[in-house]
Amino acid sequence: MNGPALSAHSPLTSAMTDPFGRTITYLRVSVTDRCDLRCFYCMSEDMTFLPKADLLTLEELDRLCSAFIAKGVKKLRLTGGEPLVRRNVMSLVRSLSRHLDSGALRELTLTTNGTQLAKHAKELADCGVRRINVSLDTLDPQKFRAITRWGEIDKVLEGIEAARSAGLAVKINAVALKNLNEDEIPSLMQWAHGKGMGLTLIEVMPMGEIGTGRIDQYLPLSLVRARLAQQFTLTDLEESTGGPARYVSVSETGGKLGFITPMTHNFCESCNRVRITCTGTLHTCLGHEDASDLRKPLRASGDDILLSDAIDRAIGLKPKGHDFIIDRRHNRPSVSRHMSVTGG
Ligand code: SAM
Ligand code: SF4
């Protein structure tokens, strides 16, 4: 990248530490709000997507990510919407991989629904991606179609196999859904662990209007864990990613199981992450309406001084924690933007 020469004390390279002493080292980037599926807990069937003209170009996304890397981001996750439906997204991955080569970035990864993975797995591996998360809530083709509204599970399974053959470590993410996949969780875990893949369960979060109430979907993971513990030996693992996931090992399968429990567990004190959307909006907390526009400073000048200032100001406003609520009185989104905007 061209730009001014940077000294060790340049504001462009200063670490991002928020008012609560948390240093930001993890950036999630939603490269598109579009998706080829319509998971019913994530989107309404007739979603209105952003006009393409509002999106940052891939070059602008690269510049934005690179500015964050210069300011101390070590882990970068591409997400969406569905990141692999963004046209030419692999050119962004390839270009960002230079930060892996230079050692500035420790990990480049993505979260995907897997439908396009068979096409891209090998190139992802070639670009230095080592691990990916694939979202899959069920192994039952009919249920998969019901959850995603029209998805074909075979494509996802094919994508997972392609990723594994390319040498990528795959972790499966599954949203725990009342009356839908709750009985299937043990077999989903045995399937994933049988292939050497981790499984992380996610509680439904109240994000975005989806045309149906959350109370009907919400399954507390405390209940799922208690049920699993009757059948399996779960041992807490100490490791933490600085995020909402807590992990256990499962003796019977030899695999790792994660629980993401934003509703029942407070993880905010160790939060090391921020998110940017495909329009260049920075969200410093998944559970708050806070938003800072980075597109304007990005476009206002060819160097990164205005951009870096805007990032510092936004990090200075990162809230202490979130406040998601799902109950009968609050059966509406706590946060109005959909998960597909910020990418989970
Ligand atoms: N399309 C990609 C995928 O499905 O993996 C990436 C984006 S998707 C928004 C990221 C993750 O968020 C997925 O694992 C999805 O299941 C999860 N998700 C979406 N809406 C959610 C909600 N309201 N509550 C909890 N998890 C949600
Ligand atoms: Fe698309 Fe992922 Fe949302 Fe499903 S969860 S609709 S795959 S963005």
Side-chain angles (χ1 to χ4, degrees):
M1 258 184 48
N2 297 324
L6 303 179
S7 78
H9 302 296
S10 162
L12 301 186
T13 58
S14 58
M16 296 176 289
T17 303
D18 78 3
F20 304 97
R22 297 168 297 189
T23 300
I24 308 306
T25 55
Y26 183 6
L27 176 67
R28 294 191 178 210
V29 186
S30 175
V31 298
T32 175
D33 65 328
R34 288 163 197 256
C35 186
D36 53 347
L37 302 180
R38 292 287 182 281
C39 303
F40 76 94
Y41 49 77
C42 177
M43 294 190 181
S44 62
E45 192 161 6
D46 55 345
M47 285 290 284
T48 310
F49 294 108
L50 293 164
K52 285 202 171 136
D54 284 1
L55 263 55
L56 295 184
T57 64
L58 293 174
E59 291 73 21
E60 286 172 327
L61 278 170
D62 182 292
R63 201 179 131 206
L64 198 46
C65 292
S66 301
F68 275 93
I69 293 166
K71 292 172 82 63
V73 158
K74 298 284 173 218
K75 177 170 173 179
L76 200 154
R77 178 178 299 279
L78 302 181
T79 175
E82 174 47 41
L84 296 180
V85 303
R86 172 98 194 229
R87 205 159 172 211
N88 277 335
V89 71
M90 289 311 298
S91 69
L92 176 65
V93 177
R94 185 151 297 282
S95 138
L96 288 173
S97 72
R98 72 187 184 282
H99 297 298
L100 290 172
D101 297 338
S102 75
L105 191 61
R106 254 184 246 131
E107 184 171 11
L108 177 60
T109 183
L110 86 163
T111 301
T112 172
N113 64 23
T115 59
Q116 316 287 316
L117 202 46
K119 248 183 276 168
H120 299 299
K122 191 167 174 317
E123 195 177 355
L124 286 169
D126 287 346
C127 290
V129 174
R130 294 284 161 261
R131 308 188 291 176
I132 56 169
N133 290 353
V134 180
S135 303
L136 180 62
D137 305 325
T138 178
L139 289 173
D140 177 321
Q142 272 84 41
K143 274 191 195 170
F144 183 79
R145 187 171 278 273
I147 291 171
T148 60
R149 291 199 175 97
W150 55 65
E152 286 170 40
I153 197 170
D154 286 348
K155 279 196 193 162
V156 179
L157 297 177
E158 200 189 317
I160 291 172
E161 285 316 314
R164 296 175 67 228
S165 308
L168 297 173
V170 177
K171 180 164 75 71
I172 302 295
N173 281 345
V175 178
L177 298 161
K178 192 155 118 190
N179 298 327
L180 246 170
N181 65 359
E182 56 178 301
D183 294 341
E184 210 194 322
I185 288 173
S187 54
L188 189 61
M189 178 181 81
Q190 282 165 316
W191 169 79
H193 288 180
K195 289 179 180 290
M197 305 186 291
L199 173 70
T200 294
L201 302 172
I202 309 175
E203 266 173 3
V204 172
M205 288 176 252
M207 300 192 64
E209 214 34 91
I210 50 164
T212 159
R214 298 281 176 191
I215 194 85
D216 302 328
Q217 309 170 355
Y218 179 56
L219 176 65
L221 289 186
S222 49
L223 181 64
V224 174
R225 183 177 171 151
R227 285 186 194 152
L228 283 169
Q230 292 173 355
Q231 222 182 317
F232 300 94
T233 316
L234 311 180
T235 310
D236 282 312
L237 296 172
E238 280 311 306
E239 71 188 78
S240 162
T241 55
R246 295 289 172 270
Y247 295 97
V248 298
S249 66
V250 183
S251 306
E252 289 76 5
T253 60
K256 201 160 92 173
L257 177 65
F259 298 92
I260 298 188
T261 55
M263 314 297 297
T264 53
H265 189 101
N266 195 331
F267 52 86
C268 302
E269 65 281 356
S270 60
C271 181
N272 61 356
R273 60 197 61 191
V274 295
R275 297 169 166 82
I276 46 181
T277 69
C278 52
T279 56
T281 303
L282 174 65
H283 295 289
T284 58
C285 177
L286 186 60
H288 269 261
E289 299 280 3
D290 81 294
S292 307
D293 176 32
L294 298 182
R295 186 173 57 183
K296 207 163 162 210
L298 180 83
R299 288 185 174 166
S301 115
D303 66 44
D304 288 344
I305 295 171
L306 293 176
L307 177 61
S308 179
D309 282 351
I311 294 173
D312 288 341
R313 270 197 305 280
I315 301 295
L317 296 173
K318 183 168 161 72
K320 190 166 181 199
H322 68 59
D323 190 21
F324 285 129
I325 311 169
I326 295 181
D327 64 20
R328 299 228 173 253
R329 274 185 308 126
H330 296 88
N331 201 10
R332 59 187 160 72
S334 293
V335 174
S336 59
R337 54 180 196 267
H338 287 87
M339 193 68 138
S340 49
V341 173
T342 28

